[in-house]
């Protein structure tokens, strides 16, 4: 027996009937085809499946799709456009969110598998803390595992983004993101 | 050639698609009508299978096929092992267990269903009647008298014995002032790429075409093996490695699921996908390391090392994977490290146990060698009461000793070990660190300084020394539009060759890196190649690309010279133009020369049209990067917690194509070492259960566990390839572990401790300090 | 990775939820944030027939003052507690503890009610709740009852909650002047759970030179979190000195059977309980003195 859900994903409304046990990450990947959100473990440790739920980073493999019903979700595909309040999906014009740009500039990724989750965790941090120090960045990313980079370039990527974001007026990630101080 | 791009920290061409989440790893691909496979795996480490009842599973909702080992008997050959050691016993891993299971996680049955949830549910309906047998977990007990052999037809659990000796060992030990002995345990590790394995297979019966997408480091070798395992025409098999989310050696293999998923797709005539869970990845994807090394070293009072003898027990697990028996032999080859040691001997006993197979995990046998010899150097220093730096320096070969022949039969290509050491000492301010340590000890604080001077063998390698070919292929094709396709047999999965090969091409052909498209990982597009492992992609694969670029360049030079009326030897490639040295007026646009090659109306006489070249580059030798790592830790006296305070790494990987990417490789490699040193250990209990079976219990380093890594480089090019590049993919992992171990042992020296086995878990360190707290020096 | 099927209910009101748990009893599991239950279900270590999702209930996520106490709704997330200004001022121990739970993503989703009801032996909140002498409010179809934190934890993964009851609220008295708190934790490096976690809550007297009253909650050490009464007895009424704290901490594991697992033996846990108890008390005293100096 399916359960009706409705979610706002990357600025677009989705309705559907799902099996209640369907994990949010499988809903995003298999139903909506948003495969940028990855799966790396089943125990809420690796953080590869991190998305923003009502503006806050959560692990979408430890959430049922039905639990997320009524919420607003931003995945990596919608991150860049969400900052402009623009349309759905990856920014067609290649525009990047400052954190994505930081990862590119500072070589914050190798295989790229942990990257979407890492970027969204960093976005969560920069919403709460505009100018985090190294220790704060390390601590904020401790829910995300990377096996390639050793994290150092990731930290530089976040620092790059913080600088860039503070150089312009603050951005709203999503309707409810502004709640966090 | 002017180097406008080579050596520069260009941003990666790979990144835009990855940071937007719009590229595709295996599990991101979906085919119409796709079905999903799930595997039932043994909960027992050792058991006879009395029966497998699939009837309920076959009738479950959504299930289209369920098979046990008996159902595929003879249809699929076992997992191949490419490594051959004289007199080694057979231990082929069946794709599904038939009569007996030999490790927890061994696949017993497979189910295919219309969606992944239904496939998973059906596993719970399979009834297997097991007769549990006594598991053999400890490798020393496995080879003790009376232990039951794991495999039928074997008289014991010794898989092979291998030995290597060079120099006059007897004389060395006879003339020694001291002989130091130590047992070192290099614990079993789990590679843990963040992307687990995954396979999709699609069979088109009309064309007879089988396509397999797999998270693999070796698409071509996998194609050959799938064809052999299924007795399927190789020309009709296409293997694609799409984006691959890390490998670290664990995807340098051929696995049962790869052949079996292909078989299922053929049987069903439907695409089949399998995505490995993390638990399956822990249980049934290869493990790394797992050696017990009993080492003896003969030394002179002045610190010179005369001879080294080591016996290794290598725990291979239950079956061979692709390279399982080979890995410990690499430890043997590299056992003398970066020192002039006149005599050395290693004996290896490969042992079967009821565990997952070990195989190549980042460094593959060489981290074990570096760990062994570097721990030895520290023990010698402690015994002779000398500074560990000085003992190392004393035994270095000098720059004019290269090429340097080791007693283990290798020829080190080039090196200046002292230069890297001195640079690291300077960056770390070693003298000051020692002063600080002395001061802190007086305050009851335990700081330790570890030094590792390492050399590694990479750029694998000449074919003569490899189980399969050691060459690599590359095709460079300048397309009619002037864009350049580079098809490499390397199969990068994070290493960034789409960028570095473009940098190289840009400098060779005098055009912009954006004009290049580096294609890899698809056997239908790329000429047969070997793959990415053993720090070989740039040294071997890159050289193949370079040589193909030169061939294309030469042809273009002839065409351009013909067009402008000059000599091909005098043509210069720069800024998108090909010009004659003598006169800037004698110049054609790059695209114009390319066009001439295809339009083929104005070509020099006897020149073939087209603009494409392929090279199969066979290196004459391995390459030998080296360096010095210095690590500073502080140990919490009360808890035993090891805190990283500083880390300095000076690496020499020869010439560098892109320093940003080299940094990334070094940092990532070091952190993998931090994992082995501080946290990681695959623990099987006495029943052979993997009790570190999830990331909840197997700790990887987190961002918050680390300190800033300070890196620097020296540059000693290799003569082995024209680029002078050595390779850097494994350097961090090979060089770092001993520095970490040395630092911990050094911190514990006041407690009379000179060696601790990894991982340096808090309780272990705490126990050591507590036991000797009465005699703190 | 994939949970077994279940029947799903998403009640809109607490009354409806209470009727559902009453009807389904043991066969039902409550789902709040899901961070305790879902990992178990994905590994199929739990396969409840009914899942009652209370995450959509309105009005159960709040931190507010009520009748001189601080009331926290069961569905309040760890991160809301971590960043609450009200708690920072009136009950800093809870934010200090919440900040050390798991990671950011877990804290954004996990709830205090779910965490307490799950009663993982390595959970962080139980230590704090005990040290604060908090009250836990549980409801069923016939009403509510108040369970003192001291009585709440029964055994590993077992609490005083009866079948048919839902934990709705946590109540805490605000921090009195001249008191200080601290949570000190040794984390398991893979999961982040507490190998040992010690929450200390001290009230100073005699011009801040003595400990008037101490409350020490310890988690991770044993099957359930507990109040270290022997430590408290050794502190109460004593003039503060390093020796007093050290001696008192030696009693941290008194009368307790320590857990022993892959990550820490019982012996090590016991010793760490001593070390972390000492560190927590010392920091709590510092906090009490620091705040007092600040003129509150």
């Amino acid at each position: 027996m399916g359960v009706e859900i409705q979610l706002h994903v990357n600025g677009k409304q989705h309705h559907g009937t799902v099996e209640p046990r369907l994990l949010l990450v499988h809903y995003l990947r298999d139903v909506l085809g948003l495969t940028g959100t990855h799966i790396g473990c089943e125990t809420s440790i690796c953080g590869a499946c991190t998305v923003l739920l009502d503006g806050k980073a959560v692990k979408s493999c430890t959430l049922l799709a039905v639990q997320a019903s009524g919420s607003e979700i931003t995945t990596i595909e919608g991150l860049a456009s969400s900052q402009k309040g623009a349309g759905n999906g990856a920014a067609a014009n290649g525009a990047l969110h400052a954190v994505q740009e930081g990862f590119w500039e500072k070589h914050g990724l190798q295989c790229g598998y942990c990257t979407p989750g890492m970027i969204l965790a960093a976005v969560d941090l920069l919403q709460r803390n505009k100018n985090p120090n190294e220790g704060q960045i390390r601590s904020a990313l401790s829910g995300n595992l990377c096996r390639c980079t050793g994290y150092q370039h990731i930290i530089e990527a976040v620092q790059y983004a913080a600088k860039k974001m503070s150089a312009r007026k603050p951005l709203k990630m999503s309707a409810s993101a502004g709640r966090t101080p | 050639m002017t180097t406008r791009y080579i050596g520069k920290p260009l941003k990666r061409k790979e990144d835009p698609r990855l940071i937007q989440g719009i590229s595709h790893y295996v599990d991101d691909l979906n085919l119409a009508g796709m079905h999903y496979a799930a595997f039932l795996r043994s909960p027992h480490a050792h058991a006879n299978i009395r029966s497998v009842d699939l009837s309920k599973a076959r009738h479950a909702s959504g299930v289209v096929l369920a098979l046990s080992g008996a159902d595929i008997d003879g249809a699929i050959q076992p997992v191949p092992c490419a490594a051959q050691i004289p007199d080694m016993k057979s231990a082929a891993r069946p794709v599904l267990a038939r009569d007996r299971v030999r490790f927890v996680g061994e696949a017993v049955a497979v189910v295919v269903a219309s969606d992944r949830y239904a496939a998973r549910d059906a596993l719970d309906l399979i009834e297997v009647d097991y007769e549990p047998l006594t598991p053999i977990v400890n490798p020393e007990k496995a080879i003790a008298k009376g232990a039951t052999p794991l495999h039928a037809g074997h008289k014991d659990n010794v898989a092979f014995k291998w030995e290597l000796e060079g120099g006059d060992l007897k004389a060395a030990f006879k003339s020694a002032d001291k002989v130091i002995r130590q047992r070192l345990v290099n614990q079993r590790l789990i590679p843990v790429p963040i992307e687990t394995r995954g396979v999709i297979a699609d069979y088109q019966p009309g064309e007879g075409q089988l396509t397999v997408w797999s998270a693999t480091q070796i698409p071509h070798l996998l194609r050959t093996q799938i064809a052999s395992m299924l007795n399927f025409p190789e020309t009709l098999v296409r293997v694609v490695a799409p984006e691959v989310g890390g490998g670290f050696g664990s995807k340098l293999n051929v696995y049962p699921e790869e052949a079996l998923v292909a078989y299922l797709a053929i049987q069903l005539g439907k695409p089949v996908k399998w995505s490995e869970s993390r638990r399956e990845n822990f249980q049934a994807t290869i493990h790394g390391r797992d050696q017990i090394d009993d080492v003896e070293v003969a030394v002179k009072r002045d610190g010179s090392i005369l001879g080294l003898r080591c016996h290794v027990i290598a725990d291979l697990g239950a079956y061979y994977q692709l390279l399982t028996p080979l890995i410990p032999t690499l430890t043997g080859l590299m056992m003398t490290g970066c020192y002039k040691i006149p005599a050395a001997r290693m004996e290896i006993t490969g042992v079967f146990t009821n565990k997952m197979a070990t195989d190549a995990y980042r460094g593959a046998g060489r981290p074990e060698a570096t760990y062994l010899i570097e721990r030895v150097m520290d023990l010698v220093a402690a015994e002779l009461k000398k500074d560990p730096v000085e003992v190392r320096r004393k035994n270095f070969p000098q720059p004019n000793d290269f090429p340097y022949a080791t007693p283990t039969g290798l020829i080190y290509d080039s090196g200046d070990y002292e230069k890297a050491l001195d640079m690291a000492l300077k960056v770390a301010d070693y003298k000051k660190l020692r002063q600080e340590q002395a001061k802190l000890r007086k305050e009851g604080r335990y700081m330790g300084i570890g030094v590792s001077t390492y050399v590694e063998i990479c750029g694998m390698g000449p074919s003569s020394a490899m189980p399969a070919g050691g060459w690599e292929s590359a095709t460079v094709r300048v397309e009619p539009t002037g864009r350049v396709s580079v098809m490499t047999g390397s199969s990068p999965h994070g290493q960034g060759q789409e960028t570095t090969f473009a940098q190289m091409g840009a400098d060779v052909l005098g055009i912009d890196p954006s004009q290049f498209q580096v294609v890899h990982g698809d056997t239908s597009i790329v000429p047969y190649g070997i793959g990415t492992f053993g720090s070989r992609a740039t040294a071997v694969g890159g050289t193949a690309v370079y040589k193909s670029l030169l061939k294309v360049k030469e042809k273009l030079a002839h065409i351009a010279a013909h067009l402008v009326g000059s000599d091909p030897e005098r043509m210069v490639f720069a800024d998108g133009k090909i010009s004659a040295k003598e006169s800037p007026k004698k110049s054609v646009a790059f695209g114009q020369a390319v066009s001439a090659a295809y339009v083929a109306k104005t070509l020099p006489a006897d020149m073939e049209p087209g603009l494409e070249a392929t090279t199969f580059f066979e290196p004459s030798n391995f390459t030998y990067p080296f360096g010095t790592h210095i690590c500073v830790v502080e140990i919490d006296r009360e808890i035993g917690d090891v805190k990283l305070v500083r880390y300095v790494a000076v690496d020499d990987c020869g010439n560098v194509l892109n320093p940003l990417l080299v940094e990334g490789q070094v940092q990532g490699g070091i952190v993998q070492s931090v994992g082995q040193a501080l946290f990681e250990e695959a623990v099987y209990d006495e029943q052979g259960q993997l009790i570190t079976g999830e990331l909840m219990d197997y700790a990887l380093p987190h961002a918050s566990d680390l300190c800033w890594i300070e890196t620097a480089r020296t540059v000693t090019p290799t003569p082995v390839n024209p680029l002078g590049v050595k390779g850097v993919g494994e350097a961090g992992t090979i060089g770092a572990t001993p520095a970490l171990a040395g630092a911990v042992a050094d911190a514990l020296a006041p407690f009379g401790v000179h060696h601790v086995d990894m991982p340096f878990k808090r309780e272990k360190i705490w126990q050591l300090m507590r036991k000797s707290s009465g005699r703190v020096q | 990775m994939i949970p077994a099927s279940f029947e799903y209910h998403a009640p809109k009101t607490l009354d409806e939820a209470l009727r559902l748990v009453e009807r389904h009893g043991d066969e039902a599991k409550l789902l709040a944030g899901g961070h305790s239950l879902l990992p178990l279900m994905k590994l199929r270590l739990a396969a409840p027939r009914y899942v009652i999702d209370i995450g959509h209930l309105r009005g159960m996520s709040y931190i507010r003052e009520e009748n001189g106490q601080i009331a926290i709704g069961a569905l309040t997330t760890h991160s809301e507690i971590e960043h609450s200004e009200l708690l920072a001022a009136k009950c800093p121990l809870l934010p200090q503890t919440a900040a050390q739970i798991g990671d950011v993503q877990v804290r954004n989703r996990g709830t205090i009610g779910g965490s307490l009801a799950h009663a993982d032996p390595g959970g962080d909140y139980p230590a704090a709740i005990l040290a604060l002498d908090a009250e836990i409010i549980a409801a069923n179809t016939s009403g509510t009852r108040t369970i003192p934190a001291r009585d709440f934890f029964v055994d590993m993964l077992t609490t005083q909650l009866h079948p048919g009851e839902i934990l709705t609220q946590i109540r805490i008295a605000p921090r009195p002047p001249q008191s200080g708190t601290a949570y000190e934790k040794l984390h398991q490096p893979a999961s982040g759970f507490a190998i040992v976690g010690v929450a200390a809550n001290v009230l100073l007297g005699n011009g801040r030179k003595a400990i008037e009253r101490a409350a020490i909650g310890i988690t991770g050490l044993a099957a359930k979190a507990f109040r270290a009464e022997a430590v408290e007895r050794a502190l109460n009424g004593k003039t503060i000195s390093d020796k007093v704290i050290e001696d008192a901490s030696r009693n941290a594991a008194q009368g307790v059977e320590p857990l022993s697992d892959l990550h820490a033996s019982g012996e090590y846990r016991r010793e760490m309980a001593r070390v972390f108890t000492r560190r927590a008390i010392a920091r709590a005293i510092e906090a009490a003195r620091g705040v007092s100096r600040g003129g509150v």
Side-chain angles (χ1 to χ4, degrees), chain B residues 320-522:
Chain B
Y320 300 135
Q321 282 282 336
L322 191 64
L323 302 169
T324 300
L326 174 84
I327 306 306
T329 67
L330 290 169
T331 309
L333 292 174
M334 292 305 292
M335 69 185 291
T336 55
C338 56
Y339 309 108
K340 269 180 124 163
I341 300 177
R345 174 180 172 78
M346 179 171 280
E347 293 166 42
I348 298 171
T349 306
V351 181
F352 295 122
T353 58
N354 287 113
K355 299 177 195 165
M356 179 57 203
T358 50
D359 203 309
Y361 167 55
R362 201 170 192 175
R366 295 106 80 206
E368 295 91 318
T370 314
Y371 184 71
L372 185 164
I373 184 65
E374 290 304 291
R375 290 307 302 132
V376 162
M377 298 311 278
D378 282 349
L379 291 165
V380 168
E383 178 70 31
L384 300 177
K385 303 206 176 350
K386 287 182 184 295
D387 189 296
V389 169
E390 293 322 309
V391 175
R392 285 171 167 84
R393 197 188 292 277
K394 175 145 198 71
N395 290 283
F396 280 160
Q398 295 307 305
N400 57 9
D401 288 328
F402 291 90
Y404 170 72
T406 72
T408 58
L410 300 173
I411 312 278
Y412 291 175
D413 55 347
S414 62
D416 189 343
Y417 300 157
E418 239 176 322
K419 195 169 160 191
L421 173 63
D422 286 335
M423 186 184 279
L425 294 174
K426 197 174 155 212
V427 173
D429 202 345
Y430 184 72
K431 221 183 207 169
K432 204 167 152 203
L433 284 176
R434 287 287 175 204
Q435 288 162 358
E436 196 187 335
Q437 177 182 43
K439 190 176 140 250
L440 288 174
R441 275 186 187 166
K442 280 185 197 139
E443 297 168 16
R445 287 174 61 185
Y446 299 94
M447 168 179 156
I449 305 160
V451 179
S452 157
T453 55
Y454 75 92
V455 61
E456 58 148 331
I457 179 170
C458 72
M460 302 203 166
S463 298
S464 56
M466 301 274 290
W471 46 270
E472 192 54 273
S473 74
T475 296
V476 171
R477 184 169 64 234
V478 186
E479 310 289 0
T481 55
R483 292 252 175 178
V484 187
S485 305
V486 176
M487 275 71 73
T488 171
S490 301
S491 193
H493 42 284
Q495 294 84 353
Q497 271 88 16
E498 289 178 35
T499 305
T500 51
F501 289 178
Q503 286 176 254
M504 196 161 72
D507 276 346
V508 172
L509 298 180
I511 54 176
D512 195 80
S514 64
Q515 298 300 298
F516 290 80
Q517 194 65 43
V518 176
V519 183
H520 55 82
D522 186 338

Side-chain angles (χ1 to χ4, degrees), chain B residues 538-584:
Chain B
T538 304
V540 189
T543 302
V545 171
Y546 180 67
K547 290 189 162 231
S548 290
L549 284 165
L550 290 184
K551 289 176 190 170
V552 165
K553 182 184 182 183
E554 197 192 340
K555 185 163 181 180
L556 277 169
H558 275 91
I559 295 171
H562 183 69
L563 291 176
V564 302
S566 180
D567 181 355
E569 308 295 316
R570 304 186 60 81
M571 303 311 289
V572 178
F573 288 64
D575 302 322
K577 291 195 290 275
I578 309 172
S579 323
K581 245 182 230 161
E582 65 269 20
S583 159

Side-chain angles (χ1 to χ4, degrees), chain B residues 116-117 120-121 124 277 279 636 638-641 679 683 691-692 694-700 702 705 761-763 766-767 770, chain C residues 1-5 42-44 186-191 193 195 246 262-268 271-272 274-276 278-279:
Chain B
R116 53 175 115 221
Y117 283 53
R120 171 62 190 87
D121 288 347
D124 290 346
S277 72
R279 177 162 287 237
D636 184 319
E638 290 188 305
I639 325 176
D641 198 48
F679 307 115
V683 181
I691 54 175
T692 50
E694 282 284 355
L695 284 169
M696 293 286 282
D697 288 311
Y698 185 92
L700 300 187
H702 295 75
D705 297 318
K761 292 191 178 175
R762 293 179 292 220
E763 182 168 358
W766 173 78
Q767 283 286 9
R770 199 169 66 137
Chain C
M1 181 67 205
I2 293 162
S5 289
K42 285 164 67 185
L43 296 171
R44 300 210 176 189
L186 182 68
H187 73 282
Q188 198 259 66
S191 69
F193 275 110
I195 285 175
E246 177 68 48
L262 173 69
H263 303 288
S265 70
E267 182 193 18
Y268 181 66
E271 282 299 304
M272 291 308 106
R274 176 182 65 78
V275 172
F276 283 80
R278 194 196 69 223
R279 292 181 182 186

